[in-house]
């Protein structure tokens, strides 16, 4: 049986951010959609759909981070997905209230769009800084690995529009895909409270909290994320949905 993992990265983030976790699954075929030339918010999900349609695969595990997790939720609501892993994800990124526990106010994203036109570097540096805990910021080289120069300015702006518009909450009650929700307790992009709420809204979801971790646990503690994902794969195999690794 063909074993495939689909990796859906977060806004503005490079594909290499998955490397340390992805390398722990050598027997899988790994697929990562490319968003570098996206110009409209609708194209993100279209790219994901294109990858899935071209696979003609019998078993698929989808791993989504932040914005990628939202794309993964929508995909699992419409396609047969064997397992869904949501890292630093919320079902609704924006919130009209000024309450970061519930989401970002749309005004913040609109301001980022305007600033990207004149100061892309400053916008990305500020975003990456917010992703990290103080301890993570001190780790040499990791900060640079979290800003992808491959995303065009148009793609970054389209991604912010996607985050502003997308609402995955209507999918949650009917989603039956086995789901693993992983969230850092110090996540300042998608709050830990939002991650817990997401897990509680998904029937049978398993919630893994990672203490003292920010928005990118797969980058800073890939062994923890990898072990959690391996347990999920083994459980799927036990239930007859997936062959063991």
């Amino acid at each position: 049986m063909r074993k495939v993992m689909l990796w859906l990265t977060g806004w503005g983030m490079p594909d290499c951010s998955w490397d340390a976790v992805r390398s722990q699954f050598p027997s899988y075929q790994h697929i990562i959609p490319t968003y570098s030339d996206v110009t409209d918010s609708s194209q993100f999900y279209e790219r994901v759909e294109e990858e899935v349609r071209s696979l003609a695969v019998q078993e698929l595990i989808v791993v989504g981070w932040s914005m990628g997790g939202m794309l993964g939720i929508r995909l699992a609501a419409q396609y047969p997905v064997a397992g869904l892993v949501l890292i630093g994800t919320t079902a609704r990124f924006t919130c009209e209230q000024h309450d970061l526990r519930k989401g970002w106010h749309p005004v913040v994203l609109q301001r980022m769009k305007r600033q990207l036109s004149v100061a892309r570097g400053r916008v990305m540096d500020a975003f990456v800084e917010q992703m990290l805990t103080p301890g993570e910021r001190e780790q040499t080289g990791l900060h640079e690995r979290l800003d992808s120069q491959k995303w065009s300015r148009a793609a970054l702006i389209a991604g912010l529009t996607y985050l502003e518009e997308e609402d995955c909450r209507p999918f949650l009650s009917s989603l039956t895909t086995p789901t693993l929700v992983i969230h850092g307790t110090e996540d300042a992009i998608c709050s830990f409270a939002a991650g817990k709420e997401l897990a509680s809204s998904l029937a049978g979801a398993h919630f893994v909290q990672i203490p003292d971790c920010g928005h990118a646990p797969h980058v800073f503690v890939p062994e923890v994320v990898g072990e959690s994902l391996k347990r999920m794969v083994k459980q799927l195999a036990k239930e007859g949905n997936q062959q063991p690794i």
Side-chain angles (χ1 to χ4, degrees):
M1 183 176 294
R2 193 179 183 192
K3 299 185 296 184
V4 175
M5 285 186 175
L6 178 68
W7 303 83
L8 306 176
T9 195
W11 177 78
M13 295 295 105
D15 297 346
C16 66
S17 63
W18 292 119
D19 286 354
V21 175
R22 189 174 54 208
S23 63
Q24 298 178 49
F25 298 88
S27 65
Y28 280 78
Q29 177 184 352
H30 300 286
I31 305 294
I32 303 181
T34 299
Y35 307 128
S36 58
D37 59 344
V38 164
T39 57
D40 184 85
S41 60
S42 64
Q43 293 175 321
F44 289 99
Y45 186 67
E46 289 173 2
R47 294 292 170 86
V48 174
E49 273 194 313
E50 287 170 5
E51 293 287 358
V52 173
R53 284 199 301 267
S54 68
L55 286 174
V57 67
Q58 294 173 303
E59 299 286 353
L60 174 67
I61 292 178
V62 177
V63 187
W65 172 30
S66 195
M67 186 183 92
M70 301 176 81
L71 289 164
I73 292 171
R74 181 173 285 275
L75 181 69
Q78 301 181 46
Y79 284 84
V81 172
L84 178 63
V85 182
L86 304 173
I87 302 173
T89 300
T90 179
R92 177 67 170 155
F93 190 78
T94 56
C95 176
E96 292 293 342
Q97 306 170 31
H98 287 280
D99 185 352
L100 288 176
R101 293 172 299 177
K102 297 183 180 297
W104 288 32
H105 197 282
V107 168
V108 177
L109 300 183
Q110 293 160 14
R111 183 169 63 245
M112 289 173 67
K113 290 181 195 178
R114 294 193 298 271
Q115 293 173 340
L116 278 168
S117 298
V118 294
R120 171 193 169 124
R122 188 167 68 233
V123 172
M124 298 308 298
D125 285 346
F127 183 74
V128 171
E129 194 79 1
Q130 193 169 358
M131 288 171 53
L132 311 180
T133 66
E136 290 167 350
R137 292 175 193 138
E138 295 174 359
Q139 296 191 37
T140 305
L142 286 175
H143 185 286
E144 290 76 12
R145 285 176 52 193
L146 290 171
D147 177 18
S148 173
Q149 296 299 318
K150 293 182 179 179
W151 284 58
S152 68
R153 185 175 63 189
L156 290 171
I157 292 173
L160 291 175
T161 300
Y162 176 87
L163 289 172
E164 188 177 350
E165 296 174 342
E166 181 65 284
D167 187 353
C168 294
R169 291 174 296 183
F171 304 128
L172 302 183
S173 61
S174 59
L175 202 63
T176 59
T177 303
T179 303
L180 173 65
V181 178
I182 301 174
H183 221 100
T185 60
E186 307 306 313
D187 192 332
I189 302 296
C190 296
S191 74
F192 180 68
K196 287 184 68 176
E197 182 178 2
L198 174 62
S200 66
S201 301
L202 292 165
H206 181 59
F207 184 61
V208 175
Q209 66 179 59
I210 303 182
D212 305 316
C213 186
H215 189 55
H218 56 296
V219 175
F220 292 94
V221 285
E223 66 286 350
V224 176
V225 174
E227 285 303 316
S228 297
L229 184 47
K230 287 175 185 177
R231 285 194 293 271
M232 177 190 215
V233 169
K234 289 177 180 177
Q235 183 61 35
L236 291 173
K238 185 178 180 181
E239 296 171 356
N241 296 326
Q242 184 90 346
Q243 295 298 316
I245 61 175

